[in-house]
Amino acid sequence: MKTTILITGGAGFIGSHVVRLFVTKYPGCRIVNLDKLTYAGNLANLRDIEKNSNYEFVKGDICDAGLVQQLFEKHDFGGVIHLAAESHVDRSISNPMEFVNTNVIGTVTLLNAAKQHWKASLAAVLKGRLFYHISTDEVYGTLGKAGKFKETTAYDPHSPYSASKASSDHFVRAYYDTFGLPVVISNCSNNYGSYHFPEKLIPLAINNIKNNKPVPVYGKGENIRDWLFVEDHAKAIDVIFHKGKIGDTYNIGGNNEWKNIDLINLLCRIMDQKLGRVKGESAKLITFVKDRAGHDLRYAIDSSKLQRKLKWKPSLKFEQGLERTVDWYLSNEEWLTNVTSGEYKKYYELQYVAR
Ligand code: NAD
Ligand code: TYD
């Protein structure tokens, strides 16, 4: 067991689930969560575990080389699970530089600190150190009607987001090939579940349906995504962190493809039922809007390597996971209101002052 683990971006959607899993499952392990608390990061996502004695939060930027180096010296991390990123494709279209800074420069800043502190020698491997980089299936580009992304699929990113993630993946591999830094990478499909910032399709649609606002569907709604319940992703990260082969890549996916319009219609049916509305009422909110520029048509992941070698598989059926997700949002209205209004951000800004 690696004793102190640095998790970056632990206040975000997926990061908060990973932090929660590690803090509760490994009480003998210390978790340091480094997060800048951007609009997407929120300490309310971690309220249930924030007082655990094996958990520590540090507010800071992964691009701050001095801070990152200092943290490595202070904690002598056994492992890094790197999730911090700018993650929303639409924001990457309006502000690509933010994505270059955090996703590329931030990742290289962390790699440098690990390399320097771990001396990047074979000894680092023997001592069980690991730099685990969390990436996305979007680096592979887009699929036609058939086929799935394999670990060997050539990179072909189309959005500034996926281009920045592809670049960070290349840097991670370059540090393995050039300096022998012990790394592992996973590329996952679209996640859904609790604590998802309501700018992404599923939480945005739930929030809008609840408030009787239009649900924007890009283009004709024909684009396809492969959805995975976020807690299943966190479990996959746990397995890969502990059993993954150094230098390897693992694809993670739900084997669960949905056309956007079909997904939204399913969500509308669930919302009608949960809100006691007449059948078909929520679907009236569906509004087709201008398509996203460079919109990838289809993502689908072949996760057979992970399933075969590390014995992971998704635990939930989509209909079950989606219903559970809707229930969570409807019973956590305060969270939804406060993240949308920025109220939590103001509150936590007062508690944590950046270095
Ligand atoms: P998110 O946007 O919800 O959270 C990102 C977190 O990173 C936030 O807490 C934010 O405050 C923090 N952060 C951003 N810039 C930072 C910086 N410069 N320094 C320190 N912290 C910073 O993202 P997410 O959806 O949880 O995604 C987490 C990771 O998983 C990302 O690397 C993303 O590329 C990857 N991923 C996401 C999905 C998905 O469906 N959401 C799928 C596959 C892979
Ligand atoms: P999103 O949740 O932004 O994830 P990603 O772009 O990383 O896959 O979008 C999921 C799909 O839903 C994608 O095809 C774009 C589409 N979409 C809409 O149709 N309307 C929306 O308001 C949003 C945010 C996304």
Side-chain angles (χ1 to χ4, degrees), residues 40-111:
N42 192 338
L43 289 176
N45 297 358
L46 290 165
R47 253 186 207 153
D48 52 329
I49 56 97
E50 69 186 1
K51 296 216 161 63
N52 285 42
S53 58
N54 63 336
Y55 170 71
E56 179 179 335
F57 173 69
V58 178
K59 182 180 190 307
D61 191 331
I62 56 166
C63 299
D64 181 344
L67 169 66
V68 171
Q69 192 64 40
Q70 211 181 68
L71 289 175
F72 268 82
E73 274 155 28
K74 179 173 172 200
H75 295 281
D76 187 28
F77 297 120
V80 177
I81 306 180
H82 172 38
L83 296 113
E86 285 296 333
S87 67
H88 189 40
V89 173
D90 293 332
R91 286 180 190 255
S92 83
I93 295 168
S94 41
N95 186 5
M97 280 314 290
E98 201 68 46
F99 286 69
V100 175
N101 286 332
T102 288
N103 299 1
V104 186
I105 313 276
T107 300
V108 179
T109 304
L110 288 164
L111 288 166

Side-chain angles (χ1 to χ4, degrees), residues 12-14 35-36 38 41 61-62 83 87 102 135 161 165 191:
F13 166 47
I14 303 171
D35 198 297
K36 187 178 167 184
T38 65
D61 191 331
I62 56 166
L83 296 113
S87 67
T102 288
S135 193
Y161 164 64
K165 290 298 288 187
N191 286 213

